[in-house]
Amino acid sequence: VGTELAQLRPYQVGDDVRMIDPAASARTGIPHVRQHVPERALTTWVVVDLSPSMAFGTTGRLKSDVAEGVTKVVARLSARRGGRVGVVAAGASHPIVLPPAGGRRALGAIDRLLAEGVTPDGAPSESLGEALLRVRGLARQPGLVVVASDLRDEQPWLRAMRMLVASGQQVIAVEILDPRELELPDGGVLSLVDPETGELVEVDTRSNRLRQDFAGAEERRREQLAADLRRVGARHAVVRTDGDWLRDLGSHLA
């Protein structure tokens, strides 16, 4: 029986030091041990973000398209390895849980869920933190949790992610970016709507100062996010709507 190489968790007092994984420890800055879990016993959970902010994209695809692709790839890898995969939706208007299952039936259920699309603008929704806590309550054994989101939920979801890691889950946070979220173009006066709240804001993007402030604030936000993910012991994968997201994701799932 093979072993699932993705089974990593932070080192705890009493662990066998021979199980420390040098590569993961160096990457995260925190000592990690590798747990050898039979592949057939592995359960993978995907937390997919269906909030309105995911229906955004300024290139050939939306952030929701990438989140859908990430979910399908992870599910098919899990099924191919003989494991089970479950899905919890974040940002949905009501709790959505697909219990862990394997085979074509599980993949079909996931495809049908994703085909429903994102939550309409302004609709009440379950936060990312609530979705992660739901997985924490459902996951019975150590496994893999993949979060496919833009990670822009202002709710305190990091605490829930820390709890998942502490319970023995390996967490991969897949941050989905669009290039227009990194810097503003010079597009004149724009009317922008917050898809989560419906708030309307007018901005004059001709202002160099405004564009510089926007880019600086976004850079600081992303640096803080990366630091926070390292602190809670989650792996951080960054994929973009304008890039080869499958290749970038693959380096974290190998």
Side-chain angles (χ1 to χ4, degrees):
V1 180
T3 56
E4 173 51 56
L5 298 181
Q7 290 301 294
L8 295 167
R9 64 168 174 79
Y11 173 84
Q12 298 175 358
V13 176
D15 286 334
D16 187 343
V17 295
R18 293 173 296 180
M19 302 301 292
I20 291 179
D21 186 280
S25 300
R27 181 175 60 249
T28 63
I30 302 171
H32 275 66
V33 294
R34 185 174 296 279
Q35 305 171 97
H36 294 289
V37 178
E39 279 188 351
R40 294 186 182 279
L42 179 70
T43 296
T44 298
W45 285 93
V46 181
V47 179
V48 57
D49 192 344
L50 300 181
S51 62
S53 68
M54 298 297 289
F56 178 77
T58 59
T59 61
R61 59 179 71 91
L62 304 177
K63 290 190 291 184
S64 58
D65 295 330
V66 178
E68 176 180 336
V70 170
T71 303
K72 289 183 176 181
V73 166
V74 171
R76 280 156 178 73
L77 281 176
S78 177
R80 185 183 305 167
R81 294 170 177 174
R84 302 186 306 157
V85 60
V87 175
V88 171
S93 57
H94 61 280
I96 298 177
V97 177
L98 297 181
R104 294 182 178 179
R105 180 173 297 183
L107 298 180
I110 292 171
D111 288 346
R112 289 190 293 274
L113 168 62
L114 296 172
E116 296 179 8
V118 301
T119 305
D121 289 1
S125 60
E126 186 173 62
S127 70
L128 177 58
E130 290 170 326
L132 292 172
L133 287 175
R134 191 175 298 279
V135 174
R136 172 69 180 87
L138 293 170
R140 303 301 183 188
Q141 297 178 345
L144 175 66
V145 178
V146 178
V147 181
S149 171
D150 57 9
L151 301 178
R152 289 179 177 271
D153 195 324
E154 295 183 357
Q155 299 294 326
W157 53 267
L158 280 166
R159 179 175 178 272
M161 188 172 287
R162 183 190 296 111
M163 293 172 64
L164 274 172
V165 174
S167 70
Q169 306 297 326
Q170 184 211 349
V171 179
I172 303 178
V174 182
E175 180 190 6
I176 303 171
L177 292 176
D178 185 88
R180 284 295 172 261
E181 294 174 314
L182 304 178
E183 57 183 14
L184 283 175
D186 183 352
V189 178
L190 301 180
S191 296
L192 306 177
V193 177
D194 185 333
E196 306 284 351
T197 65
E199 180 182 1
L200 177 66
V201 177
E202 285 195 353
V203 295
D204 186 354
T205 61
R206 295 170 297 184
S207 168
N208 288 329
R209 177 65 179 274
L210 174 66
R211 296 198 305 274
Q212 291 171 1
D213 288 347
F214 179 91
E218 177 61 15
E219 183 178 4
R220 290 189 296 273
R221 186 198 71 83
R222 296 201 59 246
E223 288 175 350
Q224 184 62 54
L225 173 64
D228 287 340
L229 291 172
R230 286 194 300 270
R231 178 168 49 83
V232 302
R235 294 169 61 182
H236 185 196
V238 179
V239 297
R240 295 172 51 126
T241 58
D242 63 342
D244 188 343
W245 65 265
L246 183 57
R247 181 194 62 192
D248 296 336
L249 176 67
S251 64
H252 292 271
L253 297 178

